[in-house]
Amino acid sequence: MGFREDVRKIKALTDENRLAIMLALQQGEKCACVLLEELNITQPTLSHHMRILCDSELVSGRKDGKWMYYSISPEGVSDFREMIAGYARCDCEDKDIARDSCSCKN
C-alpha cells in the first residue's frame, strides 16, 4: 500500500465523532438509528462519518430493509494495526541490530 492510502486510513480516526463511533461499535453491530441517538448527531453527519470509516475499511456496513447496520471490521482493524506498526517502530526493536549502534536510545 502507498502513503496516500495509509494517510486516508489514518485520517479516518482524526475526528471526535468517528472516534466516538468506533467506541460505540466496540459493543457490537449497531443500527444507524441507534448510533444517531447515542451520538446526538444528524443523519447527514452520521452518513458522512460512516462513509469515511467504511472507505477506510475499519467499519463495515450492511443494509437490511431500509436500515443500515454497522460493525467494526476485524480484518480492517488488524490491517490498520499492522500499517501503524510499520511507521511506529524503531530499528532498535530489531534484535539483529546492536543496541550500541541505535540512534534512538532513551
Side-chain angles (χ1 to χ4, degrees):
M1 232 174 264
F3 291 132
R4 185 173 301 217
E5 181 68 18
D6 291 350
V7 167
R8 185 178 61 79
K9 288 181 180 231
I10 292 167
K11 282 185 177 182
L13 294 180
T14 61
D15 180 88
E16 293 175 26
N17 286 317
R18 292 192 289 273
L19 289 176
I21 291 166
M22 292 297 291
L23 287 176
L25 293 178
Q26 286 179 356
Q27 301 166 6
E29 182 181 69
K30 291 193 177 186
C31 178
C33 61
V34 172
L35 290 170
L36 285 170
E37 290 177 17
E38 288 182 5
L39 301 171
N40 196 29
I41 57 177
T42 65
Q43 189 279 324
T45 299
L46 179 65
S47 292
H48 167 75
H49 292 304
M50 296 316 297
R51 181 184 51 78
I52 291 169
L53 288 169
C54 287
D55 286 349
S56 74
E57 300 176 351
L58 291 169
V59 170
S60 56
R62 69 175 182 87
K63 190 167 177 111
D64 186 7
K66 66 177 185 168
W67 300 107
M68 281 298 295
Y69 292 84
Y70 296 100
S71 59
I72 290 178
S73 166
E75 184 178 298
V77 169
S78 177
D79 291 346
F80 184 85
R81 285 184 181 138
E82 287 179 26
M83 183 260 304
I84 290 295
Y87 292 108
R89 73 173 192 86
C90 171
D91 287 340
C92 295
E93 295 168 353
D94 188 344
K95 293 181 182 176
D96 294 334
I97 296 176
R99 288 237 175 239
D100 294 338
S101 66
C102 183
S103 62
C104 55
K105 291 180 190 174
N106 291 331

